[in-house]
Amino acid sequence: MAQQRTQLWAAEADIDEDIDLNLAIGTYAQNDYEEASLQQPIADATLQAMQAHLSQQNAFAQIPDAVKAFIVHFHQAVLDNNLAEITIAYESGWNKFTEKFYAKTEWPEAELIAPLVNDDPIFLILYRELYYRHVYSRLQPNIDDRFHSFENSCELFNYLLNSDGPVQLELPEQWLWDIIDEFIYQYQVFCSWRSKVKSKTEDELVMLAEGGPQVWSSYSVLNVLYSLMQKSKINEYIAAQREGKSAEEIAEIVGEYGQRPLYRQLGYFSIVGLLRVHVLLGDFTLALKVMDNIELNQKSPFTRVTACHVTTYYYVGFCYIMLRRYPDAIRTFVTILNFIMRMKQYHTRSYQYDQISKTADRMYALFAMCHALSPSRLDDNIANIAKERFGEQYAKMSKGGEDALASFEELFLYACPKFINANSPPYDDPAAIQSLLAPPTPAEASAVDGSSQLDATHRHLQLFLSDVAAQSQIPTLRSFLKLYTSLGAPKLANFLDADEEEMVQEMMVVKQASRSFSRVPGSSSPGLLDGETITTSDLNFVIAENMVHITESTVGRRYAGWFIKNTERTQKILDDLKTMPLPATRAPGQPQQQPQQQHQQQGQRESKKVGWAKTA
Amino acid sequence: MAATWIKPSTRPEPIEDLVSGVDRYNPSNVSILEDYLYHQIRSEEYDLLANLAILKLYQFNPDLYNPDVVINILIKALAASPLPDFNLCISLLDERTHPSTLDEPDPLPSTLPQLKTLQSLLFRCRFPAFWATFQSEEFENLRDNYTVEVAGFENAIRQVAIRAVKATFTHITSERLGSYLNLSGNDLTSYVKGLGWTIDSSNGTITVPPNPDNQIEATVVQEAIKLPQLSKVISHAVKA
């Protein structure tokens, strides 16, 4: 009521005003009448509303014109489903304006710019998605931001999944991936923020008690991802493609949602999203199982979005590490790190490049750990870079023994994903929260302190370290075994200053460590969990009663590649020489006669040259 | 082997649908999976992914938590060493922040360290130490209340030892093997015969049958030059 009245006298400031103006005029008489009769009590409220509206008008006026124009243009592109324009606006436009005007502050609120876009709810939802993404990445989100961003995400997915039939929107792939990525990222930071009970203010505790369990709950996140997968029937689509079904059959299998690229891409990215969520919750087998239908090679669709590509390989490699499948992990990391190295020259766009470099760095750390645990002669290039970057830790880890553990811990904490707890602390139960905040005994206090901050990460770290500790003697033993072809067990025990029986058992561990489950390249089954037992070490041994027999497998000299390369190069040089014209030599001072002479000379030389080629 | 690890042949159809689909998140299905676990315990079967599904339901629904089920799952996973099963189960055991909804005190915090000790001994192939620890007084609770229910637990652990021995030895003395299996004398002889291994009765040496792991030979990995690599060179020579 008061709103409409003020809108009338400040009508000039708004851009598309026609409709509103008519409405306002139509009810003006009524407003006036009501105003008159309720003069006193409303005065304050209207005054405040007017002031709020004034400040809003001010804020609106402060938005630079360039930004306003950009928003209108962006909106138009979205309405027209003009994919090329949307891509440009999204990738370069938004970032440009962020850098220029909003590097340290938030973009204008959605309500402020709503008049520019005719209050289009869909565009406003998308705008809010970008707005909150900016808040989370550049600024510190407060509890309101967190709750509202969750609501916005729910609205967006609701719109996509629960409208009557598939929506007609088209968005670039990069944006779709970013939506899913950001959704999971906000979920993850919320969970880690939520588990820090001690640092909450009174208000926050109240808000968490009321809204807590629903906001960013694990079930709702999983629900969104699974629904996207099911609606788009992405798994059936991939299976049908692999079987080579025709386009009509595929269209029938995937239904009306699956045919639209928007849903298909969202479904595809949801699979990668699920991989990530399961790793964060500690379920590594399920994470790999979810990826059953996606082939990890350079031709898969997810490679089209670089960030998605890198993320996938990082999480798959990490799962393999936790499954003790170090050769598989090494192979995964080598593939992606090679790709990133080649890609570095082309993709130096700011925001993505930073994140990809950071992930690459963590992968080098993980690679160094795996290589220390399961040395193999794979890709020396990557191994060299990893050694450069993490030289000190790598040296300690390869030697084994006590120091190694500290290095493993350091690198693991640096490189692991930010694990989360599936459940929140019991904010809705005040007694429980009190006991968490003010534990009765000092022992519990220290347990709560340490555990609430890092507990999921800590748990996984401990599991990993216990594996590593079990293998810490192996490098020493291996170095001894390398020196002999057969060795008596008592003698070996003497070298190591260890009890013979202990040592024999340790040998069994060495043998065990040199066998690993691994995916055999070229195998037909697409699942990532499949594999066979393979040997990972060159050193092999057997114990016959008390005698240890040792063999080592070596790699013969590889000469073929070098010879072939040089042969081809020589041939190329030869070919070039044959077809190259001889250089014309010009004696100074006789320019006119020279050309004729040269021509003759060249002719002679050329005939000679031809002769030469024939004899070759 | 991976195929049976992911999907054991003994897994019934409804469980397969449950584990592979979205229904695994439905809390009301937890009793089906728990019954399946007890079936595994009684009939010496083992299904890792189904058990992990139970733990995941506990992760999301703390009020469903049943410590006995968790302990039984961990015991079953012990017998799978050196596969990472035990660690995978622990990864899913979140910190319990909610006040306990159980009638009796939670036995998990006291048994978990014991189970972890046993697992670490198994992973490090310290079999005699394993048996000694397992038979000790502290572990009485574990033995009397839990492992006694799991059919064939001791044999399953013996299988772990056998796997390690098979890979490392071609001949092994019976005392050594006996200490690994916690068997001696006639028990040992009959067990070994049951495996199909031969005992040389004169000096008590047991021969381990050949398998890919304990047959070693020095190999030189030769380079295999394939025709396509030479195609450019050959075609060039033909052209000239």
Side-chain angles (χ1 to χ4, degrees):
Chain A
M1 197 166 58
Q3 279 257 309
Q4 286 166 328
R5 194 161 155 269
T6 51
Q7 220 175 29
L8 191 53
W9 65 248
E12 306 83 53
D14 288 320
I15 295 187
D16 28 274
E17 250 300 290
D18 297 319
I19 306 170
D20 292 341
L21 201 53
N22 288 333
L23 271 178
I25 293 179
T27 54
Y28 179 71
Q30 287 172 343
N31 284 344
D32 203 33
Y33 171 74
E34 280 173 303
E35 254 295 310
S37 62
L38 303 162
Q39 205 58 277
Q40 292 293 14
I42 298 186
D44 279 338
T46 45
L47 197 59
Q48 277 178 0
M50 275 164 55
Q51 281 174 341
H53 195 77
L54 248 185
S55 62
Q56 211 182 22
Q57 297 286 14
N58 257 342
F60 187 80
Q62 276 172 2
I63 302 177
D65 282 332
V67 176
K68 283 188 199 150
F70 167 69
I71 293 179
V72 172
H73 164 78
F74 199 1
H75 179 228
Q76 197 54 46
V78 170
L79 278 181
D80 297 337
N81 273 349
N82 184 342
L83 205 52
E85 279 299 317
I86 302 179
T87 313
I88 298 179
Y90 173 71
E91 290 185 2
S92 39
W94 179 269
N95 289 324
K96 197 174 67 178
F97 287 106
T98 306
E99 283 304 322
K100 204 157 157 199
F101 298 111
Y102 299 113
K104 298 257 179 355
T105 64
E106 304 155 340
W107 275 70
E109 295 213 5
E111 288 71 31
L112 264 187
I113 61 126
L116 283 176
V117 300
N118 274 337
D119 284 326
D120 177 8
I122 312 304
F123 184 77
L124 285 178
I125 295 180
L126 292 172
Y127 176 81
R128 276 198 205 96
E129 196 266 317
L130 293 172
Y131 168 85
Y132 282 115
R133 201 189 308 171
H134 175 71
V135 169
Y136 272 86
S137 68
R138 303 275 186 136
L139 316 163
Q140 281 294 355
N142 59 30
I143 187 170
D144 280 324
D145 289 328
R146 295 181 199 269
F147 275 54
H148 288 144
S149 70
F150 177 70
E151 280 162 23
N152 190 49
S153 301
C154 285
E155 269 185 42
L156 173 63
F157 289 117
N158 226 355
Y159 167 67
L160 288 173
L161 290 168
N162 294 331
S163 313
D164 295 321
V167 303
Q168 298 303 318
L169 204 51
E170 273 193 38
L171 294 174
E173 272 185 331
Q174 178 69 47
W175 194 346
L176 293 174
W177 163 252
D178 284 339
I179 290 180
I180 305 261
D181 195 35
E182 185 66 20
F183 182 57
I184 301 176
Y185 171 70
Q186 291 177 0
Y187 165 61
Q188 172 211 307
V189 293
F190 184 78
C191 285
S192 28
W193 177 82
R194 179 176 61 185
S195 55
K196 298 188 187 127
V197 183
K198 294 207 167 198
S199 55
K200 301 281 172 288
T201 68
E202 279 303 317
D203 288 335
E204 289 174 338
L205 284 175
V206 168
M207 277 189 84
L208 279 169
E210 291 170 7
Q214 284 77 40
V215 172
W216 291 119
S217 69
S218 309
Y219 264 134
S220 47
V221 172
L222 285 171
N223 193 13
V224 164
L225 294 171
Y226 273 110
S227 308
L228 282 172
M229 270 174 59
Q230 278 175 344
K231 262 292 191 334
S232 60
K233 296 218 178 37
I234 185 68
N235 279 323
E236 287 85 340
Y237 174 79
I238 298 179
Q241 273 219 316
R242 206 181 18 246
E243 290 163 21
K245 293 214 161 58
S246 72
E248 293 87 34
E249 285 179 316
I250 295 184
E252 229 189 87
I253 295 177
V254 300
E256 50 169 3
Y257 278 89
Q259 282 177 44
R260 298 202 47 87
L262 178 86
Y263 286 94
R264 194 178 322 144
Q265 282 155 7
L266 274 177
Y268 200 84
F269 293 138
S270 301
I271 300 184
V272 179
L274 271 175
L275 162 73
R276 182 171 165 191
V277 172
H278 286 310
V279 172
L280 290 177
L281 290 170
D283 194 346
F284 306 109
T285 38
L286 194 57
L288 287 182
K289 198 143 197 315
V290 148
M291 292 279 291
D292 256 350
N293 280 321
I294 297 190
E295 282 189 41
L296 273 193
N297 56 35
Q298 305 290 357
K299 292 186 291 221
S300 275
F302 65 76
T303 54
R304 291 205 291 257
V305 179
T306 321
C308 178
H309 189 186
V310 173
T311 308
T312 313
Y313 274 86
Y314 169 73
Y315 283 104
V316 167
F318 191 80
C319 284
Y320 277 137
I321 292 186
M322 295 310 279
L323 282 171
R324 289 194 202 137
R325 288 166 68 153
Y326 305 118
D328 283 340
I330 291 181
R331 213 184 42 242
T332 316
F333 291 133
V334 164
T335 320
I336 190 62
L337 286 170
N338 272 329
F339 170 78
I340 293 180
M341 265 198 333
R342 282 197 317 261
M343 169 208 93
K344 247 192 229 182
Q345 303 146 6
Y346 308 117
H347 290 244
T348 48
R349 276 199 317 248
S350 51
Y351 73 104
Q352 268 197 356
Y353 181 64
D354 279 341
Q355 204 184 27
I356 294 182
S357 299
K358 248 188 266 175
T359 315
D361 213 35
R362 288 153 106 196
M363 288 198 279
Y364 277 118
L366 290 174
F367 172 81
M369 290 198 304
C370 293
H371 204 252
L373 283 170
S374 168
S376 64
R377 239 184 262 108
L378 254 204
D379 199 311
D380 291 325
N381 203 2
I382 303 286
N384 286 336
I385 301 183
K387 278 186 202 147
E388 245 182 75
R389 176 82 181 75
F390 295 106
E392 187 191 313
Q393 290 97 335
Y394 184 76
K396 284 198 203 138
M397 293 191 300
S398 327
K399 250 193 354 225
E402 291 304 313
D403 305 327
L405 274 184
S407 299
F408 276 110
E409 178 166 347
E410 188 189 329
L411 288 185
F412 186 89
L413 286 176
Y414 171 66
C416 70
K418 309 273 180 294
F419 295 106
I420 54 181
N421 259 334
N423 299 307
S424 83
Y427 286 111
D428 46 349
D429 184 350
I433 284 288
Q434 279 313 311
S435 73
L436 272 179
L437 285 175
T441 66
E444 272 186 54
S446 54
V448 166
D449 237 0
S451 65
S452 61
Q453 302 290 335
L454 285 173
D455 82 56
T457 316
H458 199 67
R459 193 171 70 233
H460 293 106
L461 171 69
Q462 288 310 317
L463 286 173
F464 179 69
L465 286 181
S466 64
D467 275 359
V468 168
Q471 302 190 343
S472 58
Q473 302 288 356
I474 295 183
T476 332
L477 271 174
R478 278 215 183 109
S479 59
F480 274 112
L481 291 177
K482 269 203 162 89
L483 303 170
Y484 293 87
T485 43
S486 66
L487 182 60
K491 201 162 167 203
L492 182 58
N494 224 349
F495 283 147
L496 297 168
D497 261 341
D499 170 47
E500 185 183 331
E501 191 49 47
E502 273 280 314
M503 189 216 66
V504 167
Q505 289 166 10
E506 195 63 45
M507 298 285 272
M508 286 200 279
V509 179
V510 176
K511 192 75 186 213
Q512 187 177 282
S514 66
R515 295 272 175 284
S516 181
F517 233 30
S518 183
R519 285 205 70 205
V520 178
S523 67
S524 53
S525 61
L528 287 170
L529 279 173
D530 283 338
E532 301 169 1
T533 317
I534 61 162
T535 326
T536 58
S537 159
D538 315 326
L539 204 58
N540 213 349
F541 67 90
V542 161
I543 306 183
E545 275 189 71
N546 267 337
M547 204 60 176
V548 183
H549 300 279
I550 304 155
T551 58
E552 199 172 339
S553 57
T554 49
V555 178
R557 283 192 66 180
R558 320 195 92 163
Y559 50 85
W562 195 85
F563 271 104
I564 291 179
K565 198 169 70 170
N566 280 292
T567 312
E568 286 174 9
R569 199 197 278 170
T570 315
Q571 284 168 342
K572 184 164 174 306
I573 295 179
L574 206 60
D575 287 340
D576 287 345
L577 276 177
K578 285 181 202 170
T579 55
M580 209 191 300
L582 285 171
T585 50
R586 212 174 272 248
Q590 289 179 325
Q592 280 131 350
Q593 288 159 343
Q594 280 303 325
Q596 216 182 8
Q597 272 181 342
Q598 275 170 22
H599 192 69
Q600 280 177 333
Q601 276 176 346
Q602 268 184 5
Q604 283 173 341
R605 276 199 211 128
E606 275 184 42
S607 57
K608 273 196 206 155
K609 200 188 80 174
V610 167
W612 177 61
K614 274 193 193 142
T615 52
Chain B
M1 188 188 151
T4 48
W5 187 63
I6 305 174
K7 184 179 170 195
S9 50
T10 51
R11 184 190 287 173
E13 184 88 23
I15 301 284
E16 167 71 21
D17 293 334
L18 202 54
V19 165
S20 321
V22 190
D23 254 344
R24 61 175 18 245
Y25 295 105
N26 189 346
S28 45
N29 284 328
V30 72
S31 42
I32 306 181
L33 290 168
E34 285 173 354
D35 287 339
Y36 181 51
L37 170 71
Y38 282 110
H39 173 80
Q40 289 173 49
I41 289 180
R42 282 188 305 267
S43 47
E44 294 195 53
E45 291 166 8
Y46 178 59
D47 188 346
L48 172 70
L49 293 193
N51 296 345
L52 288 179
I54 301 182
L55 290 177
K56 201 170 180 78
L57 279 171
Y58 288 173
Q59 201 184 25
F60 287 147
N61 304 288
D63 24 326
L64 289 179
Y65 171 71
N66 181 343
D68 289 333
V69 168
V70 175
I71 295 180
N72 280 323
I73 293 181
L74 290 173
I75 292 177
K76 270 302 211 182
L78 272 182
S81 183
L83 290 177
D85 297 16
F86 190 84
N87 284 359
L88 291 173
C89 295
I90 305 257
S91 300
L92 284 176
L93 293 179
D94 271 356
E95 185 82 6
R96 311 207 47 76
T97 51
H98 282 249
S100 186
T101 49
L102 305 165
D103 310 313
E104 304 160 348
D106 189 355
L108 190 64
S110 48
T111 42
L112 190 57
Q114 291 182 336
L115 288 167
K116 280 191 179 163
T117 319
L118 290 179
Q119 203 274 341
S120 129
L121 286 173
L122 279 180
F123 187 55
R124 303 177 66 178
C125 295
R126 302 286 194 270
F127 301 118
F130 172 84
W131 292 113
T133 322
F134 184 58
Q135 312 279 16
S136 73
E137 275 224 24
E138 305 178 336
F139 283 63
E140 195 176 333
N141 178 37
L142 194 62
R143 282 200 307 277
D144 293 340
N145 295 338
Y146 295 104
T147 56
V148 70
E149 308 274 339
V150 178
F153 174 68
E154 304 206 343
N155 276 337
I157 302 292
R158 289 189 183 113
Q159 280 298 319
V160 175
I162 295 289
R163 280 200 290 268
V165 164
K166 247 172 57 168
T168 323
F169 291 87
T170 47
H171 296 86
I172 183 173
T173 58
S174 5
E175 293 91 48
R176 194 169 263 163
L177 188 60
S179 71
Y180 294 165
L181 298 178
N182 199 33
L183 292 172
S184 56
N186 285 330
D187 289 335
L188 180 61
T189 328
S190 50
Y191 189 84
V192 169
K193 290 239 167 63
L195 285 175
W197 295 3
T198 49
I199 299 194
D200 184 349
S201 37
S202 59
N203 52 13
T205 314
I206 304 174
T207 314
V208 179
N211 57 57
D213 289 331
N214 68 355
Q215 299 305 305
I216 59 167
E217 43 189 36
T219 50
V220 182
V221 178
Q222 283 285 13
E223 190 176 13
I225 308 177
K226 302 209 178 43
L227 192 56
Q229 285 170 283
L230 294 170
S231 60
K232 258 183 106 176
V233 178
I234 297 179
S235 60
H236 193 279
V238 171
K239 268 192 285 191

